[in-house]
């Protein structure tokens, strides 16, 4: 799609508005819309459209807040959720004075990561294929104040509702038994299918949808692998679509990693590979059909994983999921089968084109532009420094002796630890000016002041059961 194509599409679709979407630092889409008169020619694609960025999370302060959105014509589609015909595009952000890419715009980070890969000569394209999990609830109530704190999840599928009064027909997936049940236990097939259909309407290719392990409507929708920037765009679309389709049905969606105690959390296993031309660079004759270059990429991921966690697992709730046991992928090792390892090499197909890694620790609350870029930079650093990933962890992790387990490093146990690791280890992110010191400092400061510290100040409801009569 070119600007000319977009102008033609506006006329053909009878669009009356153009909706401009961009991503804030933490990973939430923001938008504003303008009438078609603002898009009568191609100037908007060159000059951009101005807006006040002072209220966007993690962006400029009020004294330097004027910003420009630059629409990407290749992202133009018909908005699926507006009453009036509306054409929407995803935008990158520029400084209006220098006309340089704004360094705190996550989409610009992803664009620079792709450019850096090419500049190294290692490869031409990095493919990403995330598997985001999420919950579809019937309702959610929560509040916290000086004298009380609670959350209450409403789910017609929740195993805890087998004894609910009124019309109760049963068929609720038991805890940890929600993987692939048919109807009527899986009551959300049609809702997920509608999500897929809307995703397809905006150009996203979907591989499958299904119920996930947990009770209470845990779901997964997998998109076919795509280049880094395009997949980050797709993931933003996917989350937006899932939420809005759920609302149509009087339901609500959360990508929160651990909303339920005692059942599986929601992760986002992320498949990735690097190609040069038509050559898949991870295919070889080594372990699990992998190349030496591919193993060094894994070495980079494992070496930098404690710092990557600040971007791939960016909320305090992320670490309710990353705990020992429950098949949590906290062990910083790789394997062709072991799902408790942080990195897995899928062996579904012997084809060289299918050779990829699956990084298992990320979760879907991440900002995909930052998380994908950070993982690529870690992998490239592993290749450039020829980092050794060590021996594969093909043993049953639960059968290891304490001394054997002590030799396997693990993921951080909290967001605070992850941020401390990022503070110590981020030089690899600065290569090619992909990330900047300013962005990293802003990220750490925001997370510490707005999330880590406020959590420290508040008593946890479970503490009353532990300590009220101490």
């Amino acid at each position: 799609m070119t600007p000319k194509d977009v102008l033609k599409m506006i006329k053909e679709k009878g669009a009356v508005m153009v909706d401009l979407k961009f991503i804030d630092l933490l990973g939430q889409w923001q938008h504003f819309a303008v009438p078609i008169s603002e898009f009568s020619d191609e100037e908007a694609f060159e000059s951009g459209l101005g807006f006040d960025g002072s209220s966007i999370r993690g962006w400029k302060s009020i004294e330097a807040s004027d910003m420009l959105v630059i629409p990407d014509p290749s992202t133009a589609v018909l908005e699926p959720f507006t009453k009036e015909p509306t054409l929407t595009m995803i935008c990158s952000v520029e400084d209006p004075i220098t006309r340089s890419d704004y360094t705190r715009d996550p989409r610009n980070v992803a664009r620079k990561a792709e450019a850096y890969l090419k500049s190294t000569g290692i490869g031409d394209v990095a493919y990403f294929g995330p598997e985001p999990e999420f919950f579809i609830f019937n309702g959610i109530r929560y509040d916290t104040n000086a004298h009380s704190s609670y959350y209450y999840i409403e789910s017609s599928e929740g195993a805890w509702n087998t004894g609910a009064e009124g019309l109760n027909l049963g068929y609720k997936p038991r805890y940890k038994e929600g993987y692939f049940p048919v109807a009527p236990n899986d009551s959300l097939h049609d809702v997920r299918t509608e999500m897929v259909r809307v995703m397809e309407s905006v150009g996203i290719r979907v591989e499958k949808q299904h119920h996930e392990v947990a009770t209470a409507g845990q779901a997964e929708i997998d998109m076919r692998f795509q280049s880094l920037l395009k997949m980050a765009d797709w993931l933003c679309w996917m989350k937006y679509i899932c939420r809005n389709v759920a609302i149509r049905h009087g339901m609500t969606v959360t990508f929160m990693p651990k909303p339920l105690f005692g059942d599986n959390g929601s992760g986002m296993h992320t498949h990735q590979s690097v190609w040069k031309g038509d050559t898949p660079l991870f295919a070889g004759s080594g372990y699990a059909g992998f190349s030496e270059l591919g193993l060094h990429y894994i070495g980079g991921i494992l070496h930098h994983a404690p710092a990557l966690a600040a971007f791939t697992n960016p909320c305090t709730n992320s670490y309710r999921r990353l705990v020992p046991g429950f098949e949590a992928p906290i062990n910083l090792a790789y394997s062709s089968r072991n799902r408790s390892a942080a990195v897995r090499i899928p062996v579904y197909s012997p084809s060289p084109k299918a050779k990829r890694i699956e990084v298992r620790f990320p979760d879907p609350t991440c900002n995909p532009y930052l998380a994908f870029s950070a993982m690529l930079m870690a992998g490239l650093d592993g290749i450039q420094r020829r980092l050794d990933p060590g021996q594969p962890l093909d043993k049953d992790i639960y059968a290891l002796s304490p001394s054997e387990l002590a030799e396997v490093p693990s993921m951080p146990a909290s967001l605070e630890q992850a941020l401390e690791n990022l503070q110590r280890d981020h030089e690899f992110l600065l290569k090619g000016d992909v990330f900047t010191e300013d962005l990293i400092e802003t990220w750490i400061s925001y997370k510490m002041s707005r999330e880590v510290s406020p959590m420290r100040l508040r008593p946890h409801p479970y503490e009353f059961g532990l300590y009220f009569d101490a």
Side-chain angles (χ1 to χ4, degrees):
M1 292 279 284
T2 65
K4 279 191 172 79
D5 294 329
V6 173
L7 295 175
K8 181 180 178 182
M9 184 179 177
I10 287 173
K11 291 181 180 179
E12 289 177 345
K13 300 295 184 181
V16 298
M17 298 291 286
V18 174
D19 188 63
L20 303 169
K21 294 179 170 66
F22 60 97
I23 195 83
D24 71 11
L25 187 64
L26 273 70
Q28 291 273 342
W29 254 356
Q30 311 293 328
H31 83 126
F32 62 91
V34 297
I36 292 303
S37 58
E38 293 296 307
F39 272 80
S40 57
D41 55 38
E42 298 177 36
E43 184 179 354
F45 295 93
E46 294 294 330
S47 303
L49 291 95
F51 72 102
D52 175 8
S54 62
S55 296
I56 305 300
R57 298 182 302 174
W59 281 19
K60 284 188 175 181
S61 55
I62 196 166
E63 72 275 7
S65 59
D66 289 344
M67 310 294 290
L68 290 174
V69 291
I70 309 299
D72 182 344
S74 71
T75 66
V77 294
L78 204 62
E79 166 64 45
F81 295 109
T82 52
K83 181 179 178 181
E84 297 289 343
T86 300
L87 186 124
T88 187
M89 286 178 282
I90 302 174
C91 305
S92 296
V93 179
E94 287 186 1
D95 184 291
I97 298 175
T98 65
R99 291 308 304 264
S100 59
D101 292 339
Y102 183 42
T103 57
R104 292 191 198 174
D105 172 20
R107 196 167 190 266
N108 284 333
V109 173
R111 293 167 63 203
K112 289 188 290 183
E114 290 190 321
Y116 176 71
L117 168 62
K118 293 178 181 178
S119 75
T120 65
I122 292 171
D124 300 323
V125 60
Y127 288 113
F128 282 76
E131 299 176 344
E133 298 168 340
F134 57 98
F135 281 87
I136 305 171
F137 295 142
N138 291 88
I140 178 70
R141 293 185 285 122
Y142 54 88
D143 190 22
T144 184
N145 50 57
H147 65 280
S148 68
S149 184
Y150 78 95
Y151 65 90
Y152 191 88
I153 294 167
E154 298 173 359
S155 171
S156 59
E157 269 201 7
W160 60 85
N161 273 327
T162 55
E165 295 182 0
L167 184 62
N168 191 336
L169 303 178
Y171 300 113
K172 305 179 192 306
R174 287 178 282 271
Y175 294 105
K176 296 185 177 294
E177 293 186 22
Y179 202 58
F180 287 10
V182 297
N185 291 75
D186 179 5
S187 66
L188 296 167
H189 172 86
D190 289 338
V191 175
R192 296 193 306 269
T193 294
E194 184 175 334
M195 293 171 178
V196 170
R197 297 283 287 180
V198 177
M199 290 170 66
E200 290 176 331
S201 77
V202 299
I204 296 173
R205 184 172 174 183
V206 176
E207 291 189 330
K208 61 179 177 293
Q209 60 95 338
H210 59 85
H211 204 290
E212 255 297 339
V213 173
T215 189
Q218 191 180 35
E220 179 176 310
I221 297 176
D222 298 338
M223 296 168 283
R224 185 167 177 78
F225 68 89
Q226 189 51 265
S227 59
L228 187 157
L229 178 64
K230 192 162 188 177
M231 180 52 75
D233 288 344
W234 278 11
L235 185 55
C236 291
W237 264 116
M238 180 263 185
K239 294 172 74 171
Y240 174 75
I241 288 168
C242 288
R243 290 175 174 134
N244 280 282
V245 169
I247 290 291
R248 282 178 176 174
H249 293 266
M251 297 176 177
T252 188
V253 157
T254 182
F255 291 88
M256 188 175 173
K258 192 69 173 179
L260 297 181
F261 167 67
D263 211 336
N264 283 38
S266 292
M268 190 180 73
H269 307 150
T270 305
H271 298 254
Q272 47 201 277
S273 63
V274 177
W275 288 53
K276 189 165 189 176
D278 295 329
T279 303
L281 299 182
F282 287 2
S285 58
Y287 172 80
F290 240 55
S291 66
E292 184 179 2
L293 179 145
L295 291 173
H296 289 319
Y297 188 100
I298 292 173
I301 294 288
L302 296 177
H303 180 78
H304 295 296
L308 289 177
F311 290 116
T312 60
N313 305 86
C315 59
T316 58
N317 185 256
S318 297
Y319 301 86
R320 311 284 188 202
R321 167 180 167 258
L322 294 179
V323 294
F326 306 105
E327 296 187 13
I330 64 167
N331 302 292
L332 295 180
Y334 69 102
S335 173
S336 62
R337 291 182 179 272
N338 195 332
R339 281 172 162 76
S340 66
V343 176
R344 190 175 73 91
I345 301 174
V347 291
Y348 297 122
S349 170
S351 170
K353 293 183 178 181
K355 287 304 172 187
R356 63 193 188 277
I357 66 169
E358 177 191 33
V359 181
R360 294 180 59 80
F361 51 81
D363 69 57
T365 57
C366 71
N367 182 326
Y369 301 98
L370 299 181
F372 295 168
S373 298
M375 285 188 281
L376 175 62
M377 296 300 288
L380 293 177
D381 187 60
I383 293 170
Q384 292 164 330
R385 295 169 57 195
R386 300 181 65 82
L387 295 177
D388 183 3
Q391 294 299 309
L393 182 66
D394 288 334
K395 300 178 181 178
D396 180 357
I397 192 72
Y398 304 110
L400 295 180
S401 66
S403 60
E404 288 177 309
L405 193 57
E407 295 178 0
V408 181
S410 61
M411 290 290 288
S414 68
L415 178 58
E416 183 175 9
Q417 286 184 14
L419 295 169
E420 290 170 351
N421 286 320
L422 178 62
Q423 184 73 66
R424 289 190 295 265
D425 175 27
H426 62 260
E427 290 297 320
F428 70 100
L429 297 172
L430 303 178
K431 293 179 180 179
D433 197 36
V434 174
F435 287 75
T436 62
E437 288 280 8
D438 172 70
L439 186 150
I440 292 170
E441 290 171 3
T442 301
W443 183 267
I444 293 171
S445 174
Y446 190 100
K447 289 287 178 177
M448 286 297 298
S449 63
R450 304 290 185 93
E451 298 176 34
V452 173
S453 293
M455 282 290 290
R456 282 177 175 164
L457 292 171
R458 288 163 170 78
H460 190 288
Y462 191 59
E463 291 176 322
F464 284 83
L466 292 173
Y467 309 125
F468 185 77
D469 60 351

